[in-house]
Amino acid sequence: MDDAAFLSLEHQLHLVDVTGDRGWHVDLKGQGRFTFTGDEPIVADRVHLLGSAAPGPRSWLWAWANPAGYPEAVTGLAASLRDFGAQHGIPELTEPEVPFAALPGGVDDPASVVAIFMEAAKAVSGLWTSYNGPVGGGTRAAFVIEHPSFQLPAPVGPRIATVLQQGAMMPTLSDHRRAIHSYASKRGLGLQWNTEWSQVVITAPGIRATVDFDGYARIEKINIEM
């Protein structure tokens, strides 16, 4: 989740830029189709159903274990996460159903549970755009969606500043230094740590950001120059 946190946030901000407040519709038959509705609909080229979180049983159910029997074309990504979990000993990725109580952070609502599994999926798969959708009765479903317009543009100072400032406040961060390092590396930003690993300077066109960490390796201060 730390590896995914900041880059996932930037993709979600970009998704809002592209789709605005459009409604949405998903068709999970055949190859699957995820559509942002409106006068000029945006139809995702690929849709991957990861699973769903329901308030009744208070559990997450992986798409590959859903009795509805969705086609492999839309559950294949979830199945690949199961294989990754088996290889690396991660039971949350291999058990068909995962109780909310087994997840980190004491999460207790379906939307937050869906967010956890989407972040994990992004870090493993390298697919970064997701949708956390209400599907009735308080249940939320996790979708990973692909479309050319969802690809990030070249990094620019104002957006990087927003990602760093908003990301630093995310309560789900565990290892702040790892999260910052992962984001800058994956985004192709300049990255220079001091010898004590207590400060890092991140550079990109139009921005120089200095991030200081406290004695517990938590983000303490971000100074941004643009």
Side-chain angles (χ1 to χ4, degrees):
M1 289 178 63
D2 289 331
D3 286 341
F6 286 88
L7 189 56
S8 173
L9 172 60
E10 185 172 4
H11 276 84
Q12 294 313 113
L13 292 172
H14 179 63
L15 180 66
V16 173
D17 292 342
V18 173
T19 63
D21 59 355
R22 296 165 180 258
W24 63 283
H25 172 74
V26 64
D27 179 0
L28 296 176
K29 298 176 182 177
Q31 295 295 312
R33 175 177 294 183
F34 193 104
T35 304
F36 288 99
T37 57
D39 294 337
E40 297 181 3
I42 300 173
V43 182
D45 303 299
R46 294 287 307 278
V47 55
H48 309 275
L49 175 65
L50 297 179
S52 56
R58 293 173 50 77
S59 63
W60 162 269
L61 180 66
W62 281 103
W64 47 264
N66 195 303
Y70 296 111
E72 184 178 353
V74 298
T75 63
L77 179 60
S80 71
L81 295 172
R82 177 189 60 201
D83 297 340
F84 181 90
Q87 180 182 357
H88 295 280
I90 308 172
E92 294 87 352
L93 300 183
T94 59
E95 295 293 333
E97 192 168 1
V98 183
F100 290 179
L103 298 174
V107 291
D108 197 42
D109 67 284
S112 297
V113 170
V114 162
I116 286 176
F117 283 97
M118 290 195 304
E119 296 296 84
K122 293 174 185 182
V124 174
S125 70
L127 300 174
W128 292 97
T129 303
S130 63
Y131 197 83
N132 185 331
V135 291
T139 297
R140 308 282 296 203
F143 303 97
V144 173
I145 50 181
E146 298 181 66
H147 188 273
S149 65
F150 301 158
Q151 298 297 313
L152 291 182
V156 294
R159 177 48 57 87
I160 294 171
T162 298
V163 170
L164 292 176
Q165 291 166 337
Q166 290 189 14
M169 297 185 292
M170 290 189 289
T172 53
L173 289 183
S174 175
D175 186 330
H176 291 206
R177 286 186 296 202
R178 176 171 177 162
I180 287 284
H181 190 93
S182 177
Y183 171 62
S185 299
K186 288 180 168 64
R187 197 67 172 100
L189 310 179
L191 189 69
Q192 183 64 53
W193 289 91
N194 67 0
T195 55
E196 295 81 21
W197 292 85
S198 62
Q199 184 184 83
V200 65
V201 177
I202 298 170
T203 54
I207 187 172
R208 175 186 173 93
T210 303
V211 184
D212 291 294
F213 300 84
D214 65 17
Y216 297 96
R218 298 172 303 198
I219 295 171
E220 183 176 48
K221 182 175 63 176
I222 299 177
N223 181 54
I224 294 174
E225 303 171 27
M226 288 192 291

